[in-house]
Amino acid sequence: MLSKRSKTAQTAAAQPDVAGPRHVAIIMDGNGRWAQKKGKIRTFGHKAGVESVRSVVRFARESGVESLTLFAFSSENWKRPEEEVSVLMELFNFVLNNEVKRLHKNDVRLKVIGDTSAFDEKLRTKIQKAEALTEQNSALVLNIAANYGGRWDITHAAKLMAQDVLDGKQQLDAIDESHFGQYICTAGLPELDLLIRTGGERRISNFLLWQCAYAELYFTDTLWPDFDEKVFQTAVDDFKARQRRFGLTGEQVSVP
Ligand code: IPE
Ligand code: IPE
Ligand code: MG
């Protein structure tokens, strides 16, 4: 028998007029375990995960998502074994070398969010070039979170804002949430609607802390290299079946 939840999900899936998420973020977790299950080394999973990235970008574009934010490397991931970190950096380089053209062709705007000052000069130049090349594209904004941490994002924003106060560009009394939000990495993009985490863990791992305020959370046991358009669609259908109340009552929200 179908549960109440899955019945609602089916109804929403059948209704094309239910609004889908405008901004989706994904914690792409489970690469290491995926590889280990196959008797391979962890980095094999990171390499396999690139194909899932391609497929989610395609899906997001085709389904009208405006912004897609992918967690590729956290500020804590530097603590992993040196060999793994270096393969992840090489992979980031490889993706920038080989995917940017295709992204540009598909009208995707690429942005790297996070503390890029930790990357070497060559990588930073590559990032800047890719961002400049795709700046005018408008089919989808693709944010790659690299050396990103939610606490870093908030601290960085606070520092930028404090500097503006010191420079007399920002009045202390005028600061409110929307002012502060302009200094956060995802400023100017739609509010985060849906956060997906693959790999079975039910935690945020210092991802988009500010942006998660009213995001819908979706956790799946699917390991990242197995994530595809079908799992993405299931997450979107689940999102569409939810009632987002933003502090109001259910009755207030359902009034036409
Ligand atoms: C996510 O997969 C990728 C990164 C953190 C870079 P993991 O490498 O964390 O995979 P598991 O969680 O160990 O399986
Ligand atoms: C989160 O995954 C970071 C990325 C997916 C890039 P982790 O595997 O690093 O998270 P924890 O350590 O399990 O919380
Ligand atoms: Mg992990």
Side-chain angles (χ1 to χ4, degrees):
M1 211 178 92
L2 281 174
S3 69
K4 218 172 176 183
R5 159 108 258 151
S6 50
K7 263 186 198 159
T8 345
Q10 285 202 342
T11 316
Q15 290 173 359
D17 56 328
V18 176
R22 295 177 65 199
H23 187 168
V24 178
I26 309 181
I27 302 177
M28 309 184 290
D29 196 24
N31 293 350
R33 279 165 287 158
W34 183 88
Q36 281 160 341
K37 265 174 57 183
K38 294 185 169 336
K40 310 263 188 187
I41 54 167
R42 295 176 48 84
T43 49
F44 182 75
H46 297 316
K47 289 174 188 163
V50 175
E51 190 48 47
S52 303
V53 173
R54 285 192 196 105
S55 94
V56 295
V57 171
R58 197 179 322 122
F59 178 91
R61 248 187 90 245
E62 285 168 5
S63 55
V65 170
E66 293 165 50
S67 302
L68 178 67
T69 302
L70 302 178
F71 205 5
F73 190 84
S74 78
S75 35
E76 289 73 34
N77 289 146
W78 294 109
K79 296 178 208 146
R80 292 192 176 196
E82 215 179 302
E83 164 71 11
E84 181 167 341
V85 171
S86 110
V87 169
L88 285 165
M89 290 302 137
E90 280 166 28
L91 204 56
F92 191 24
N93 239 301
F94 173 85
V95 168
L96 285 170
N97 287 339
N98 294 280
E99 302 291 327
V100 173
K101 245 191 201 163
R102 191 196 328 227
L103 291 173
H104 187 43
K105 210 178 110 210
N106 288 322
D107 200 23
V108 175
R109 177 174 184 183
L110 178 75
K111 286 168 106 178
V112 175
I113 60 168
D115 185 5
T116 51
S117 67
F119 299 138
D120 64 41
E121 180 81 40
K122 244 174 100 184
L123 187 54
R124 284 209 309 266
T125 309
K126 235 171 246 178
I127 292 170
Q128 281 158 8
K129 279 191 175 162
E131 288 181 336
L133 176 74
T134 61
E135 202 177 356
Q136 302 301 324
N137 295 346
S138 59
L140 173 75
V141 175
L142 172 63
N143 294 308
I144 300 293
N147 193 21
Y148 179 89
R151 288 183 173 177
W152 169 83
D153 194 358
I154 295 168
T155 312
H156 179 248
K159 273 171 133 174
L160 293 176
M161 195 176 68
Q163 189 62 56
D164 277 355
V165 172
L166 288 174
D167 295 345
K169 293 181 196 156
Q170 174 76 59
Q171 287 296 309
L172 194 58
D173 290 344
I175 294 169
D176 61 14
E177 289 176 14
S178 81
H179 278 100
F180 187 70
Q182 290 165 17
Y183 295 92
I184 290 282
C185 277
T186 49
L189 301 175
E191 288 279 345
L192 181 62
D193 293 312
L194 172 63
L195 174 75
I196 300 170
R197 181 173 188 141
T198 64
E201 312 295 353
R202 271 109 178 114
R203 55 179 172 253
I204 306 288
S205 299
N206 196 19
F207 195 25
L208 303 163
L209 300 180
W210 172 270
Q211 298 86 339
C212 272
Y214 262 108
E216 297 296 325
L217 310 181
Y218 184 86
F219 298 102
T220 169
D221 290 336
T222 303
L223 302 170
W224 179 248
D226 290 330
F227 192 86
D228 57 14
E229 302 186 0
K230 212 171 136 223
V231 192
F232 203 160
Q233 185 63 60
T234 307
V236 168
D237 290 343
D238 193 89
F239 169 87
K240 286 180 171 178
R242 297 184 190 189
Q243 185 185 51
R244 302 183 80 194
R245 291 192 284 278
F246 300 100
L248 306 181
T249 66
E251 290 72 23
Q252 282 177 299
V253 173
S254 55
V255 167

